[in-house]
Amino acid sequence: MTKRIFRSICLVALIVFMASAILFLYALYGYFSGTQRSQLRAQTELAARAAANEGLAFFDGMEAEEYRITWIDADGTVLYDSRSDSGEMENHLEREEIQQALSEGFGESTRYSTTLMEQSVSIYCARRLPDGTVLRLSVARYTMPGILLRMVQPLCIIFAIAVVLSFALAFRLSGQIVRPLNELDLDAPAESEGYEEIAPLLRRISLQQRRIRTQEEELRQKREEFDVVAAGMPEGIVLLNKKKIILSINPAAARLFEADASCVGKYILSLNRDLELQGLLQKAGDGKCAEMTLGLANGRYQLNASPVFSQGMVSGIVLLLLDVTEREKAEQLRREFTANVSHELKTPLHTILGSSELLVNGMVAQKDIPEFSRRIYVETQRMIRLVEDILRLSRLDEGAYDGKREEVDLYALARETVGSLLPKAEDAGVEMTLTGETAMVYGIRQPLQGILYNLCDNAIQYNRRGGSVTVRVEDGAEGVCLSVADTGIGIPAEHQGRIFERFYRVDKSHSREMGGTGLGLAIVKHAARLHNAVIELQSAVGSGTAIAVRFPKDQAGLTGQET
Ligand code: ADP
């Protein structure tokens, strides 16, 4: 700024100085020329009078350095010249000033003179003397370069003074101009006292600052909203820049990568070096959406990587982590279930097909026909039971019972079930007893019936002749408890954890013999879960099994509220 001002001032000063110098010189030249000419005229008059009076004696010992004096005869012959030898000089009759003096008494001219081996412009003044001769005075005229040469020194002094003054002025001026600008409070430009000229600029800055503050506030709010939403998300979310540096990570994702908030600013692959993850991020970095499944923190997670575009270029990546552990487990179970169902159906179907084929082809002896028919009947019954159990389970799986709750007297339901199973118990030589009291459960009748039926049925099936089954329904402070105890074969400890799985049997052939489907306890488990009930199993091989289903208080509630 100072330099600019200095340069501008110097330039102006230089232009002014040059213009002044030229004008000054021009004026001086005019003045000096006029003065020189009038002096020459006066001198010529004086010299003419003196020469007229004194004659040739006037020129004796004359010392006129500035003026050149020439005396010319009426025929043009040079009689005397103060600077040259008159004898060698040419005739001057044709000279303009001489002609004029001879005819008018006084003559004057200006022209180049080459007489003295030098070229200069000279002024000539000639006066005719009374004797007819002419006296001429001449002087070299002042020239512009001559005057300039004489003025060099003062001009240089003036120039130097101008430069110094320019510098001082520029320094002072720039200081004065810049100081108010430096003192501007840009945080509050509208309140700053600057120049009137920069008021629009300050107003604009103030407006822009207000806009920036509003935008900052909006951004902060959006960021906070995002943080709150991301923090509350069960899914993991990670925002990366294009160099795959973590910009933001929500608590769920940090937990999965076993990291904390300090991982922000780090390279994502410093948290997990999985090669497949590298490939996934590379793809997203190339502008393509990609997904993969990765095992993280004892679970399976689906990772979705999506590129974020800005002005047509990838500026970042959003990585979303979805828990698919349950989904994968469910898929696995479904696959196993389908295989098991096919397997379970295949055995009775083969038996039915084989027996019926033999019967159709008349290849069975008359006496064996009842046995073959019985086999077909038994296997068909087993298939029907299997299909019914599968349907019950799928209804439980699908949540088909949602919203169909009512107050059910579990004791009355147990009485019905025990009653329906008494013939089977009698056939098996098992004694069945029911104890307890009315116990209301706020639940769904059909699954509750399923629990009772399957537990009692198993207790008879896996019992021994002469054994007993005790069904107890109690309404206690903790809730309603249903227990079915038998004096049967018991379940080995290593199988106890798995008997509630679908199609799991301790002894497959024994179960099939008994007409079991392997789904009874799976139905019990699902039905109990539907009522938030807890199942407890106690069993000892050879002495019997007791299974208790505990319905929590709110489930047993008489409030009529659905939970
Ligand atoms: P099943 O249709 O084979 O009875 P369940 O799911 O009802 O299928 O039972 C699974 C397995 O658990 C049975 O095959 C059996 O081995 C065992 N089990 C169930 N209840 C009892 C019990 N009361 N006593 C002994 N073993 C039992």
Side-chain angles (χ1 to χ4, degrees):
M1 184 77 172
T2 311
K3 268 188 197 164
R4 270 185 159 191
I5 294 170
F6 176 68
R7 271 205 300 270
S8 305
I9 289 177
C10 273
L11 191 71
V12 170
L14 193 73
I15 292 168
V16 170
F17 171 78
M18 296 291 280
S20 310
I22 290 166
L23 281 173
F24 183 62
L25 283 174
Y26 190 74
L28 269 184
Y29 176 70
Y31 172 75
F32 279 136
S33 297
T35 310
Q36 198 179 29
R37 194 175 288 274
S38 54
Q39 272 183 354
L40 184 67
R41 278 182 198 143
Q43 293 290 346
T44 305
E45 289 301 337
L46 286 172
R49 279 199 192 170
N53 290 335
E54 293 175 35
L56 200 59
F58 170 71
F59 302 104
D60 286 344
M62 173 166 284
E63 282 178 20
E65 280 182 11
E66 194 179 346
Y67 297 103
R68 179 183 176 186
I69 302 170
T70 313
W71 191 27
I72 300 131
D73 202 357
D75 61 358
T77 310
V78 177
L79 300 172
Y80 171 80
D81 190 272
S82 61
R83 296 204 183 154
S84 305
D85 182 3
S86 56
E88 289 172 12
M89 288 175 73
E90 62 186 37
N91 192 293
H92 275 39
L93 191 63
E94 294 306 314
R95 304 285 161 96
E96 188 189 342
E97 68 282 0
I98 303 296
Q99 284 285 324
Q100 227 180 336
L102 287 174
S103 59
E104 294 167 23
F106 186 80
E108 203 176 51
S109 76
T110 305
R111 66 169 179 277
Y112 275 103
S113 160
T114 51
T115 318
L116 299 172
M117 301 299 288
E118 59 181 51
Q119 280 204 337
S120 65
V121 178
S122 297
I123 310 168
Y124 297 91
C125 275
R127 165 60 68 191
R128 190 182 63 203
L129 301 185
D131 61 357
T133 61
V134 174
L135 184 74
R136 187 186 75 174
L137 263 72
S138 70
V139 69
R141 201 179 67 174
Y142 290 130
T143 58
M144 204 59 120
I147 294 171
L148 186 64
L149 212 64
R150 276 178 220 173
M151 296 302 290
V152 161
Q153 200 182 5
L155 282 177
C156 282
I157 292 166
I158 292 169
F159 182 73
I161 290 169
V163 170
V164 171
L165 282 178
S166 298
F167 185 74
L169 195 66
F171 192 72
R172 201 178 142 80
L173 217 59
S174 60
Q176 279 174 353
I177 292 168
V178 172
R179 198 181 312 115
L181 297 177
N182 286 338
E183 285 168 3
L184 281 180
D185 180 5
L186 288 178
D187 290 331
E191 289 154 28
S192 301
E193 285 179 18
Y195 301 111
E196 218 175 282
E197 290 81 355
I198 61 165
L201 176 72
L202 294 177
R203 275 200 296 277
R204 207 176 168 87
I205 292 174
S206 176
L207 188 76
Q208 297 279 16
Q209 281 185 342
R210 273 206 300 278
R211 265 190 211 150
I212 289 168
R213 272 198 287 275
T214 314
Q215 282 172 355
E216 267 179 356
E217 181 60 23
E218 279 173 10
L219 272 177
R220 195 184 56 76
Q221 273 179 8
K222 282 197 176 135
R223 169 104 209 172
E224 276 177 9
E225 277 170 25
F226 173 77
D227 285 348
V228 169
V229 172
M233 272 170 71
E235 294 85 11
I237 186 159
V238 187
L239 302 183
L240 308 169
N241 69 5
K242 63 178 174 189
K243 290 180 180 162
K244 296 162 192 110
I245 302 292
I246 300 170
L247 300 176
S248 168
I249 182 164
N250 77 338
R255 201 177 52 249
L256 292 177
F257 283 117
E258 292 167 6
D260 52 30
S262 67
C263 68
V264 172
K266 286 188 185 159
Y267 191 46
I268 178 76
L269 295 175
S270 67
L271 303 187
N272 191 302
R273 303 218 144 263
D274 188 271
L275 280 176
E276 226 184 315
L277 177 62
Q278 285 188 32
L280 178 91
L281 295 174
Q282 189 56 49
K283 249 190 200 171
D286 293 342
K288 289 174 216 145
C289 290
E291 63 173 55
M292 63 174 276
T293 313
L294 186 69
L296 287 169
N298 301 329
R300 298 285 300 166
Y301 286 84
Q302 184 180 315
L303 272 61
N304 290 353
S306 313
V308 178
F309 290 98
S310 167
Q311 294 171 342
M313 304 280 286
V314 176
S315 60
I317 298 168
V318 179
L319 188 64
L320 194 68
L321 296 95
L322 305 167
D323 188 351
V324 290
T325 318
E326 286 302 318
R327 198 179 77 191
E328 289 206 345
K329 229 185 248 174
E331 267 168 24
Q332 174 71 17
L333 280 176
R334 248 193 300 281
R335 274 196 297 274
E336 279 174 17
F337 185 68
T338 314
N340 281 328
V341 168
S342 318
H343 182 72
E344 292 293 331
L345 284 172
K346 216 164 64 185
T347 318
L349 274 174
H350 276 299
T351 313
I352 294 167
L353 186 71
S355 302
S356 54
E357 251 181 357
L358 290 171
L359 282 171
V360 167
N361 294 329
M363 292 171 77
V364 183
Q366 194 63 36
K367 64 171 172 51
D368 293 330
I369 290 179
E371 175 52 25
F372 273 75
S373 307
R374 192 192 65 79
R375 258 191 236 164
I376 293 172
Y377 175 74
V378 168
E379 293 303 329
T380 311
Q381 285 258 309
R382 186 203 301 280
M383 272 178 57
I384 289 171
R385 269 202 307 280
L386 188 64
V387 170
E388 276 175 357
D389 277 357
I390 290 169
L391 285 174
R392 266 187 214 110
L393 258 181
S394 64
R395 268 203 293 273
L396 286 165
D397 277 345
E398 286 164 8
Y401 296 112
D402 284 356
K404 291 179 184 167
R405 288 169 194 255
E406 57 183 323
E407 281 171 24
V408 181
D409 181 356
L410 204 62
Y411 183 75
L413 205 61
R415 201 169 46 218
E416 271 174 36
T417 313
V418 169
S420 71
L421 282 169
L422 268 177
K424 188 174 178 176
E426 267 172 31
D427 285 351
V430 173
E431 193 194 340
M432 268 195 108
T433 38
L434 169 68
T435 60
E437 61 205 325
T438 298
M440 303 304 284
V441 171
Y442 188 70
I444 308 157
R445 180 173 284 273
Q446 226 175 342
L448 288 172
Q449 209 167 20
I451 294 174
L452 271 160
Y453 180 84
N454 283 298
L455 291 180
C456 294
D457 191 44
N458 281 352
I460 297 166
Q461 266 184 49
Y462 302 105
N463 218 316
R464 67 172 69 89
R465 199 156 273 281
S468 67
V469 173
T470 309
V471 181
R472 186 172 285 126
V473 179
E474 286 171 330
D475 192 358
E478 302 275 299
V480 174
C481 177
L482 160 74
S483 68
V484 180
D486 64 61
T487 53
I489 57 170
I491 305 162
E494 66 270 26
H495 293 285
Q496 288 180 13
R498 300 198 60 190
I499 54 165
F500 290 92
E501 288 176 17
R502 294 169 191 202
F503 296 110
Y504 191 84
R505 295 161 173 123
V506 176
D507 181 347
K508 274 200 174 70
S509 57
H510 180 60
S511 164
R512 285 224 177 84
E513 220 173 274
M514 293 289 145
T517 60
L519 293 173
L521 288 184
I523 292 171
V524 171
K525 187 175 85 174
H526 273 72
R529 191 185 289 164
L530 194 67
H531 292 87
N532 291 336
V534 180
I535 300 172
E536 287 167 11
L537 167 73
Q538 280 181 337
S539 184
V541 177
S543 40
T545 304
I547 298 178
V549 183
R550 293 185 188 282
F551 296 89
K553 189 72 198 163
D554 58 346
Q555 196 69 47
L558 300 167
T559 55
Q561 293 295 312
E562 192 179 335
T563 56

